[in-house]
């Protein structure tokens, strides 16, 4: 089969596609014909050895996998060839086939296409855990989403609308802002222009927003925190800007607001079972048509390195996926 292989930690555009042996399932594994694999911001860091997790070399990146079960190990009773599934794996998704643990595979409802499923698990689980469990978002509250046209941002818009919130989406280009509106955002702002805080103030009758969802960091974080109303919550999701901001601690005091760290991955790895209600709720909403996960921007296997590069360079509109 063909697979993207990194034999050393190098910039993502140096990715090589090689012919390697087809994987065989162990007793509790399945082999998936990969139809789509999500590209996360972290993939572009992992392949360079710049992330806290360093996979042993050589390796095939790609942890969010959607496809069809092709083969099952002898102990696997819950899945059979032909089943449509999605799963999270440590790596291996940017390939024609991937060997994964059967226990982590989630059957896909018919409403979820492979191209949407590949970007679903991380973004949507982070969104529901962040907005509801950590942010206590309630119907009628207002939410400002930074980096709103990215994979994590679009999921936050979709979930917040399902929870009945009013969503203000911040993104850098007209094309990205249009995508946010298509996903359900009520209003948008261009947060690359000075004075956007004033816009938020006007949009909220001077009160400020109830919640900020912040996967961007950098200079925008403090401005977003200053846009909160009293009792607001600022959810720290990530630092796509590459800069971890330092926040003056008088701000949460004066605003009587909370800064809340949202590390869905760490929380889930501590005890994977506690993510089951989150994923079940999300799957129910998908089946009921409440959520509309967007199909990602597709790259071929040969373009997988450029997908990671484009993500790092802020060029992707929506979620990036690799479709082998
Ligand atoms: N806490 C968690 O559990 C969790 C889970 C998943 C992901 N994350 C983190 O969340 C962040 C976003 O992930 P994602 O998959 O949504 O990434 P993404 O699809 O690349 O979106 C990130 C967005 O950030 C904005 N951005 C602002 N400055 C940027 C810069 N200098 N370079 C690149 N993008 C920039 C871009 O929007 P504009 O161009 O519109 O500004 C972009 O759309 C990452 O840091 C990731 O590690 C955290």
């Amino acid at each position: 089969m063909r697979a993207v292989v990194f034999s050393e930690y190098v910039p993502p555009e140096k990715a090589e596609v090689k012919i390697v042996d087809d994987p065989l399932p162990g007793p509790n594994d399945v082999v998936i014909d990969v139809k789509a694999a999500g590209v996360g911001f972290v993939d572009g860091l992992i392949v360079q050895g710049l992330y806290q997790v360093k996979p042993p070399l050589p390796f095939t990146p790609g942890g969010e996998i959607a496809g069809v079960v092709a083969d099952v190990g002898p102990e696997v009773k819950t899945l059979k060839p032909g089943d449509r599934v999605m799963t999270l794996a440590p790596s291996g998704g940017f390939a024609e086939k991937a060997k994964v643990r059967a226990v982590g595979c989630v059957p896909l409802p018919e409403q979820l296409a492979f191209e949407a499923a590949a970007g679903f698990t991380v973004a949507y689980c982070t969104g529901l855990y962040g907005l509801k469990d950590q942010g206590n978002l309630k119907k009628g509250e207002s939410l400002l989403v930074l980096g709103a046209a990215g994979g994590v941002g679009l999921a936050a818009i979709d979930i917040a609308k399902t929870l009945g919130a009013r969503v203000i989406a911040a993104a850098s280009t007209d094309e990205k802002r249009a995508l946010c509106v298509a996903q359900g955002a009520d209003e948008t702002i261009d947060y690359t222009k000075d004075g956007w805080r004033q816009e938020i103030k006007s949009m909220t009758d001077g009160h400020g927003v109830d919640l900020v969802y912040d996967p961007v960091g950098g200079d925008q974080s403090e401005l977003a925190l200053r846009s909160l109303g009293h009792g607001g919550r600022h959810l720290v999701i990530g630092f796509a800007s590459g800069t971890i901001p330092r926040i003056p601690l008088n701000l949460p005091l004066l605003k009587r607001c909370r800064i809340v760290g949202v590390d869905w991955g760490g929380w889930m790895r501590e005890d994977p079972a506690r993510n089951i209600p989150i994923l079940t709720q999300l799957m129910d909403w998908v089946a009921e048509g409440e959520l509309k996960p967007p199909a990602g921007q597709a790259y071929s296997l040969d373009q997988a390195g450029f997908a990671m590069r484009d993500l790092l360079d802020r060029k992707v509109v929506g979620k990036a996926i690799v479709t082998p």
Side-chain angles (χ1 to χ4, degrees):
M1 68 161 183
R2 300 175 77 234
V4 173
V5 178
F6 280 82
S7 305
E8 52 185 330
Y9 296 120
V10 287
E13 60 277 14
K14 303 245 168 176
E16 287 183 307
V17 176
K18 293 188 174 173
I19 305 291
V20 299
D21 291 341
D22 280 14
L24 293 170
N28 294 297
D29 298 329
V30 299
V31 171
I32 296 177
D33 272 334
V34 180
K35 300 293 181 192
V39 187
F41 196 84
V42 290
D43 288 314
L45 302 177
I46 289 173
V47 299
Q48 300 183 72
L50 297 177
Y51 194 62
Q52 58 256 39
V53 179
K54 289 194 178 57
L57 298 166
F59 77 103
T60 292
E64 286 190 276
I65 301 168
V68 177
V69 174
D71 197 1
V72 302
E75 302 296 326
V76 177
K77 308 291 178 226
T78 50
L79 294 168
K80 59 181 184 325
D83 286 349
R84 299 169 74 250
V85 293
M86 66 181 186
T87 191
L88 280 186
S91 57
F94 298 170
E96 288 175 335
K97 290 176 191 287
K99 181 180 85 167
V100 300
R101 294 179 63 218
V103 73
C105 289
V106 177
L108 288 185
E110 64 184 46
Q111 295 85 348
L112 200 52
F114 296 121
E115 292 77 8
F120 185 83
T121 309
V122 174
Y124 275 77
C125 288
T126 302
L128 187 54
Y129 168 66
L131 292 170
K132 194 152 173 261
D133 295 13
Q134 299 295 295
N136 198 22
L137 179 65
K138 296 207 182 62
K139 194 174 174 176
E141 285 194 314
S142 55
L143 168 74
L144 168 63
V145 181
L146 305 187
V152 163
L154 288 173
I157 296 174
D158 203 8
I159 292 166
K161 288 312 297 174
T162 299
L163 292 171
R166 172 187 173 196
V167 178
I168 303 170
S172 63
T173 66
D174 285 341
E175 193 186 5
K176 288 184 176 187
R177 289 189 289 278
L179 184 64
C180 296
V181 171
Q183 191 65 60
D186 298 283
E187 287 125 314
T188 62
I189 54 162
D190 178 356
Y191 68 158
T192 62
K193 288 214 176 105
D194 288 346
W196 62 265
R197 258 189 73 210
Q198 197 50 47
E199 270 185 81
I200 299 277
K201 218 170 172 183
S202 313
M203 287 172 176
T204 55
D205 295 329
H207 293 298
V209 289
D210 298 302
L211 244 87
V212 168
Y213 196 81
D214 181 2
V216 172
D219 295 340
Q220 308 296 11
S221 291
E222 184 176 330
L223 294 170
L225 182 68
R226 287 178 183 274
S227 305
L228 279 176
H230 286 303
R233 290 85 77 199
H234 184 117
L235 301 177
V236 181
I237 309 295
F239 310 102
S241 68
T243 306
I244 298 174
R246 292 168 181 271
I247 300 293
L249 271 186
N250 64 321
L251 289 180
L253 183 144
L254 295 171
K255 294 234 159 238
R256 303 195 294 277
C257 72
R258 283 184 282 148
I259 300 175
V260 185
V262 177
D263 174 20
W264 171 76
W267 173 82
M268 195 264 302
R269 278 189 297 275
E270 239 169 55
D271 178 4
R274 60 187 175 188
N275 192 51
I276 292 171
I278 289 186
L279 201 50
T280 306
Q281 173 68 86
L282 290 168
M283 285 294 135
D284 287 350
W285 279 339
V286 169
E288 290 159 12
E290 291 285 339
L291 291 177
K292 297 192 174 37
Q297 184 176 320
Y299 293 76
S300 69
L301 212 52
D302 297 292
Q303 295 169 320
F306 297 103
M308 291 184 270
R309 169 49 66 198
D310 283 353
L311 214 63
L312 294 179
D313 288 348
R314 209 175 177 175
K315 287 184 185 155
V316 177
V317 180
K319 174 84 186 177
I321 56 169
V322 170
T323 51

